[in-house]
Amino acid sequence: MKIACIGAGYVGGPTMAMVALKCPEIEVVVVDINEERIKAWNSDKLPIYEPGLLEVVKECRGRNLFFSTDTKKHVGEADIVFVSVNTPTKTHGIGAGKAADLTYWEGAARLIASVSTSSKIVVEKSTVPVKTAEAIGKVLKRNCQDPNVQFEILSNPEFLAEGTAMEDLRQPDRVLIGGADTPSGQKAIQTLVSVYAHWIPRERILTANLWSAELAKLTANAFLAQRISSINAISALCEATGADVQQVAHAIGTDSRIGPKFLNASVGFGGSCFQKDILNLCYVCESVGLKEVAEYWYQVVSMNDYQKQRFVERVISAMFNTVSQKKIAIYGFAFKKDTGDTRETPAIDVCKGLIRDGAKVCVFDPEVTPEQIFRDLSAPKFEWDRPNYSRSQSHMLENVQVVSDAVAAAEGAHAICILTEWDQFKTLDYQAMYEKMTKPAFIFDGRNILDHAKLREIGFIVYALGKPLDPFLVKGY
Ligand code: NAI
């Protein structure tokens, strides 16, 4: 059996590496139009950082795992084609700012149709709007020259989380495979089940109809993001009342109906998926006339924007209503720890908000390159997933510095903002940092990972999300 995967990104690369590792008799080729990315996949400096990924790639690469730009050849030869291309939010036209832009997906489907001389199973790995399989089926059928070629479309959404992708792939809570309710659809489902059954217990491989599988992925992301927005909403109330959001989260999380996960208040959720998938869900709801349902889910995104804005406003108000010309150290730019991914990271909105008020930000992140940070801070909203956006906000960059260690970032700074929960931030020498900073020295812990009592002992004025306010902020002495 030969598998090709179109799209060598955060999903295509790790998922196919795991398939190759667990199924040594299957040849797996990951193809991409991005030459640089493929070159990196073929080197020891992979294009994405994910714990444990390099080891798996090294074990399989050249054996039964290959990375190539020759999309036509490998897609043409494959029995199963996974499509794992990006599905960003549309930036213009009907549905701009909400609907999924399926340009890349349609391009992949046209490519599959044009090179197919044998029947194939086409697997939706990307997150797509419900009913995409119907549209893709039409593109495939109408563009393939060979009448004997049959396409069977499956939906097999990916539930991995960046930072723990390899463990999630090795031992997923479940794998979901949706297919048509026809004999050939069911046969295709069983073919894909047999691939995953190499390492995943059968009871964890769920099968469903196509539309349920497509919608389940959007729903999963909407529910996960909803929990974050819910606890973030409560964090605002905690600050206003003297309650502690961590105590509240612990108290509710011990209820087995609620559960303890995804209850950490933070500066907001990020990542390429949550916002885009909820907006997409809202758009689908609106398109079928479900205005109230769309509005309900839209609040999850609004609350996230509010949380980021609230954080910026807190920094400014705490620092005597002005950050003009003040150096502010930003610890962490990635959207979460253990990844170098910055797509939709709250750090972008927080930095832009502070810079707009005149601050000079100095960023340190252990995994994000300066080039990426400059790129993110000059890209207009929603344009980050397109290679050729115009750098319309590049004046932002005059007030951005990127450094390679935490101490350099703190030197002369008025404040430190923790925006990513990197473990190494917990053990930094804050006493040394304090001595190098301008006084009064502030810490705004946007992830609640530091020992706030200890920091206050050192002399910092500490603001933590959803926690009782620093006495300094309350009494002003
Ligand atoms: P990505 O942007 O890292 O990778 C997509 C790749 O597809 C890019 O390298 C791009 O060059 C390539 N591509 C686009 N059109 C192509 C074409 N016609 N032929 C060949 N290559 C093409 O995106 P990522 O993060 O891997 O996401 C892919 C999909 O998976 C998205 O729909 C996303 O919503 C979904 N997803 C992402 C997760 C994540 O944690 N990043 C988790 C679960 C699902």
Side-chain angles (χ1 to χ4, degrees):
M1 186 190 283
K2 283 191 178 179
I3 290 180
C5 174
I6 305 179
Y10 285 87
V11 169
T15 43
M16 290 303 117
M18 190 56 71
V19 170
L21 179 75
K22 300 291 185 181
C23 312
E25 81 283 10
I26 300 179
E27 183 186 292
V28 182
V29 186
V30 190
V31 296
D32 204 296
I33 39 177
N34 184 333
E35 278 181 30
E36 227 175 278
R37 245 187 178 179
I38 290 297
K39 220 181 192 174
W41 279 110
N42 283 317
S43 75
D44 282 349
K45 180 89 185 97
L46 301 184
I48 62 173
Y49 171 69
E50 195 61 61
L53 174 62
L54 183 62
E55 291 77 358
V56 174
V57 168
K58 275 186 167 170
E59 188 172 339
C60 307
R61 199 171 49 195
R63 180 188 78 185
N64 66 328
L65 175 65
F66 304 90
F67 297 92
S68 169
T69 49
D70 195 346
T71 47
K72 287 185 181 170
K73 175 178 184 303
H74 296 293
V75 171
E77 288 174 357
D79 305 294
I80 303 179
V81 183
F82 284 82
V83 182
S84 185
V85 299
N86 35 335
T87 48
T89 307
K90 271 183 90 171
T91 49
H92 24 251
I94 296 170
K98 284 188 207 166
D101 179 351
L102 292 177
T103 313
Y104 301 98
W105 229 108
E106 195 180 318
R110 286 179 190 280
L111 168 86
I112 297 169
S114 70
V115 299
S116 289
T117 51
S118 60
S119 294
K120 297 189 191 318
I121 296 173
V122 176
V123 184
E124 291 176 347
K125 198 51 149 164
S126 305
T127 306
V128 290
V130 56
K131 288 295 207 185
T132 297
E134 199 172 79
I136 295 304
K138 285 183 188 141
V139 173
L140 288 169
K141 210 172 252 164
R142 307 282 163 90
N143 284 285
C144 184
Q145 305 296 331
D146 187 337
N148 296 318
V149 170
Q150 299 293 319
F151 295 106
E152 212 40 73
I153 303 175
L154 297 179
S155 165
N156 172 219
E158 185 47 60
F159 294 101
L160 69 78
E162 286 176 32
T164 53
M166 299 315 282
E167 264 329 290
D168 295 343
L169 290 167
R170 211 183 294 272
Q171 285 189 301
D173 289 341
R174 75 328 203 167
V175 162
L176 177 61
I177 302 173
D181 204 8
T182 58
S184 57
Q186 294 303 305
K187 191 170 162 226
I189 289 180
Q190 288 315 317
T191 305
L192 191 53
V193 166
S194 72
V195 172
Y196 284 111
H198 278 74
W199 78 99
I200 295 163
R202 289 277 175 146
E203 65 275 13
R204 289 205 189 172
I205 306 176
L206 312 181
T207 58
N209 79 29
L210 266 171
W211 321 128
S212 307
E214 287 180 340
L215 187 55
K217 175 63 193 177
L218 291 183
T219 309
N221 276 355
F223 268 62
L224 289 169
Q226 176 269 124
R227 278 177 74 99
I228 300 176
S229 277
S230 295
I231 200 69
N232 281 345
I234 297 300
S235 76
L237 189 54
C238 286
E239 287 161 34
T241 57
D244 179 327
V245 74
Q246 284 178 317
Q247 293 175 359
V248 174
H250 179 66
I252 63 165
T254 48
D255 184 326
S256 58
R257 293 168 302 177
I258 297 175
K261 293 187 180 166
F262 262 67
L263 285 180
N264 287 330
S266 71
V267 60
F269 60 74
S272 65
C273 296
F274 283 176
Q275 175 172 292
K276 121 178 133 58
D277 293 347
I278 294 175
L279 292 174
N280 180 214
L281 181 68
C282 295
Y283 186 70
V284 172
C285 291
E286 280 170 14
S287 331
V288 295
L290 299 173
K291 187 169 148 277
E292 286 78 4
V293 182
E295 279 169 3
Y296 172 79
W297 285 111
Y298 190 71
Q299 279 307 309
V300 173
V301 175
S302 300
M303 182 51 64
N304 198 47
D305 287 339
Y306 168 72
Q307 187 76 347
K308 291 182 275 188
Q309 182 58 26
R310 203 168 77 76
F311 187 86
V312 171
E313 285 170 13
R314 169 67 72 198
V315 173
I316 296 169
S317 69
M319 294 173 73
F320 321 114
N321 282 322
T322 177
V323 288
S324 183
Q325 296 302 311
K326 291 179 181 168
K327 178 178 174 183
I328 298 185
I330 302 293
Y331 283 8
F333 201 82
F335 83 93
K336 63 177 192 175
K337 73 171 180 178
D338 293 338
T339 176
D341 194 356
T342 62
R343 295 177 294 179
E344 289 295 345
T345 175
I348 294 176
D349 287 338
V350 170
C351 287
K352 283 184 176 177
L354 293 172
I355 294 166
R356 264 187 226 110
D357 246 72
K360 294 182 171 301
V361 301
C362 183
V363 187
F364 165 63
D365 186 288
E367 279 301 328
V368 185
T369 62
E371 193 195 20
Q372 184 63 45
I373 293 170
F374 290 131
R375 189 182 147 87
D376 288 337
L377 290 177
S378 55
K381 201 166 174 59
F382 295 125
E383 287 286 4
W384 48 265
D385 213 5
R386 291 168 183 77
N388 300 318
Y389 63 81
S390 58
R391 296 202 166 202
S392 59
Q393 296 182 37
S394 54
H395 63 272
M396 281 269 166
L397 301 185
E398 291 159 16
N399 290 313
V400 181
Q401 199 192 346
V402 180
V403 292
S404 58
D405 73 277
V407 182
E411 190 123 34
H414 291 250
I416 295 172
C417 295
I418 310 280
L419 299 187
T420 312
E421 73 281 23
W422 285 104
D423 287 336
Q424 60 176 267
F425 295 162
K426 295 179 192 168
T427 51
L428 292 171
D429 182 354
Y430 285 97
Q431 178 71 50
M433 233 70 87
Y434 180 76
E435 276 150 28
K436 289 180 187 296
M437 289 174 68
T438 304
K439 310 295 180 311
F442 291 82
I443 287 195
F444 299 91
D445 187 353
R447 297 284 180 168
N448 284 344
I449 55 167
L450 303 183
D451 181 341
H452 304 137
K454 205 165 154 197
L455 293 170
R456 286 184 179 127
E457 247 170 57
I458 293 173
F460 281 105
I461 297 167
V462 182
Y463 165 77
L465 267 170
K467 297 274 189 173
L469 293 184
D470 190 300
F472 177 93
L473 295 173
V474 180
K475 295 184 190 152
Y477 57 83

